[in-house]
Amino acid sequence: RLVTACSQKGAPTEPEMTRMITALPIAPPGIGRRFLTIAGLLLLCGCSALGPRSISAGRGVYAEVINRTEDEQLLNVIVRQRYDETFGMMTVASVTANLQFSLSASSDIGIGDSDNYDGNLVPLSAGIGYEENPTISYVPLSGEDFTRRMLAPVSIDQWILLSGNTQHPERMLALAVNRINKLRSSRLGRTAVGPEFVRFLELYQQLRESGVVEPVQITTEDGRQEQAWEARGYAPDADNALREFLGLLGIQASLDGAPVLVPIRRQSGTATNAVHLQTRSALEVLQTFGAGIEIPPEHLAEGIVEPLTAQVPEGMRFVTIHSASKRPENATVQILFRDHWFYIDATDTQSKKAFSFLRTFIGMRLADAASKQQAPFITVPVR
């Protein structure tokens, strides 16, 4: 019956196993053989249950821990660069879980007068032991390719891809560029944000929300794919927002109701018929996020970290990273650094969305660098 149960429907339930085992006639002459038979059947049934069960129980746990530690690593990088300290990054290359099974069987046999042990002996007991020993391999991110991807300006195509579903395209644009035509952005907290650039972002948000300005992809005369802004559906004589928007960029266009196409190029300088962008690098994006850290007053007083030299406008603060001397009770991600807890509050939706974007952004920038990494793997067996 045990063989039938295992082969037809997988491992039987514990009550079924108990009924089937107790129904077997256990006689002293064949007790050893029966032990081996029953123990083997227990192992057979146990393996059929533990294999799939280990996947359902282990996969989610591994994914959760890897995701949490990735968040902690990224927050650590933001904090350390704000403190002007070096940082390192590692990616999980593989997780190999080795499953080990052990089998045990025992029986109580009485010697002497049966009145001394009658009713107290267990004729047969058997069990299965299960142990999981994971081996985790890490890849340190370093070398020329990693450095280049951290310091090189991010392409316009990547920024357009990242901003596709954002609710605040003006914030994405402020994060992406150091300069756009004659308008200079700023290093948040380091240099002041100019009023013309702030007004440009307000108009960009307004025109995007109304559907007047949309990013599109065009094909140039030589067959290249190029990003552009397209303005359509505007009133020729009444859309002052579009007129002011193009004027801030120095774009000369006739607003007669026809669609206006403005190519976007990653170049320096200004142009009257195109948008020239100087985009930020991944490291500059991390520094921009670092402007949102609430530095403990004692760290500023002791000179451990330099204060910001310019006020960050409320509308351009991408993330707020709190600090506390005690471990926070409601944090979505937290790290301990220099005896203080730095964290993002779980109720701060804007900061959580910004941090989620940064995870995606850094992952996109460094994914290929990790796969091409020539440094040796660090393999850690866990016991």
Side-chain angles (χ1 to χ4, degrees):
R1 292 182 62 189
L2 277 170
V3 174
T4 303
C6 288
S7 61
Q8 291 183 354
K9 63 175 182 179
T13 63
E14 185 175 344
E16 291 174 333
M17 288 276 276
T18 303
R19 288 197 302 270
M20 286 185 279
I21 291 174
T22 54
L24 290 174
I26 304 298
I31 194 169
R33 185 169 15 182
R34 294 177 191 279
F35 280 172
L36 294 176
T37 302
I38 295 172
L41 291 173
L42 285 171
L43 183 59
L44 173 64
C45 295
C47 290
S48 66
L50 289 175
R53 192 175 301 166
S54 65
I55 295 176
S56 62
R59 183 169 183 169
V61 174
Y62 284 123
E64 174 64 25
V65 172
I66 290 173
N67 182 71
R68 175 172 54 81
T69 53
E70 288 281 357
D71 284 348
E72 293 170 350
Q73 176 177 249
L74 182 56
L75 180 58
N76 181 69
V77 170
I78 297 173
V79 172
R80 292 184 72 90
Q81 63 80 30
R82 176 66 179 89
Y83 276 71
D84 297 316
E85 296 189 10
T86 59
F87 62 85
M89 300 182 71
M90 301 179 72
T91 183
V92 177
S94 66
V95 178
T96 304
N98 299 313
L99 306 181
Q100 296 180 355
F101 299 92
S102 60
L103 175 66
S104 64
S106 64
S107 175
D108 294 339
I109 301 175
I111 300 176
D113 190 353
S114 61
D115 293 337
N116 296 329
Y117 54 80
D118 190 23
N120 297 320
L121 300 182
V122 179
L124 171 65
S125 63
I128 297 176
Y130 160 71
E131 182 181 0
E132 183 174 356
N133 297 318
T135 299
I136 304 173
S137 297
Y138 301 94
V139 179
L141 296 178
S142 60
E144 180 181 353
D145 191 52
F146 170 74
T147 303
R148 179 177 59 81
R149 287 177 177 272
M150 288 294 293
L151 299 180
V154 181
S155 70
I156 295 175
D157 288 342
Q158 288 181 324
W159 279 119
I160 294 293
L161 180 64
L162 287 166
S163 62
N165 296 320
T166 182
Q167 296 179 346
H168 298 281
E170 81 287 355
R171 290 186 178 180
M172 186 66 67
L173 186 61
L175 183 65
V177 302
N178 283 320
R179 178 170 177 165
I180 176 168
N181 274 12
K182 61 182 181 179
L183 301 177
R184 289 184 178 274
S185 179
S186 69
R187 292 184 59 194
L188 292 184
R190 305 291 185 181
T191 57
V193 182
E196 287 189 335
F197 187 77
V198 173
R199 178 57 180 163
F200 166 76
L201 293 178
E202 294 173 351
L203 292 169
Y204 181 68
Q205 178 188 16
Q206 177 183 336
L207 294 169
R208 284 292 306 274
E209 288 180 348
S210 63
V212 173
V213 173
E214 294 288 347
V216 296
Q217 191 173 64
I218 61 176
T219 303
T220 62
E221 294 181 356
D222 57 359
R224 293 183 297 105
Q225 296 295 313
E226 192 174 59
Q227 302 293 338
W229 279 332
E230 184 180 42
R232 60 168 61 239
Y234 61 92
D237 300 324
D239 205 325
N240 295 324
L242 179 60
R243 195 178 306 276
E244 184 182 359
F245 175 77
L246 295 176
L248 288 171
L249 291 173
I251 300 295
Q252 299 178 0
S254 177
L255 300 181
D256 54 4
V260 178
L261 205 62
V262 183
I264 304 174
R265 296 162 186 159
R266 198 176 73 182
Q267 294 179 217
S268 58
T270 62
T272 58
N273 61 347
V275 171
H276 287 183
L277 296 180
Q278 293 181 14
T279 57
R280 286 194 168 106
S281 66
L283 183 60
E284 288 175 315
V285 170
L286 289 172
Q287 292 170 345
T288 300
F289 271 71
I293 300 175
E294 296 179 350
I295 304 296
E298 56 268 34
H299 289 181
L300 291 171
E302 295 170 5
I304 297 176
V305 60
E306 293 182 350
L308 298 179
T309 55
Q311 185 68 28
V312 180
E314 187 65 29
M316 296 184 65
R317 184 185 288 264
F318 298 102
V319 65
T320 299
I321 300 174
H322 302 279
S323 63
S325 57
K326 296 181 179 180
R327 185 177 188 132
E329 296 182 355
N330 192 26
T332 186
V333 55
Q334 59 191 350
I335 62 165
L336 182 62
F337 178 77
R338 285 189 171 271
D339 297 325
H340 279 74
W341 289 95
F342 293 84
Y343 67 97
I344 295 177
D345 195 281
T347 62
D348 187 351
T349 303
Q350 176 180 315
S351 293
K352 291 195 296 183
K353 288 181 178 179
F355 190 80
S356 177
F357 157 79
L358 187 62
R359 266 286 304 271
T360 303
F361 170 76
I362 293 296
M364 182 177 68
R365 290 295 293 170
L366 302 182
D368 290 342
S371 62
K372 297 176 182 177
Q373 187 69 42
Q374 299 299 317
F377 281 40
I378 298 176
T379 303
V380 181
V382 181
R383 291 288 184 262

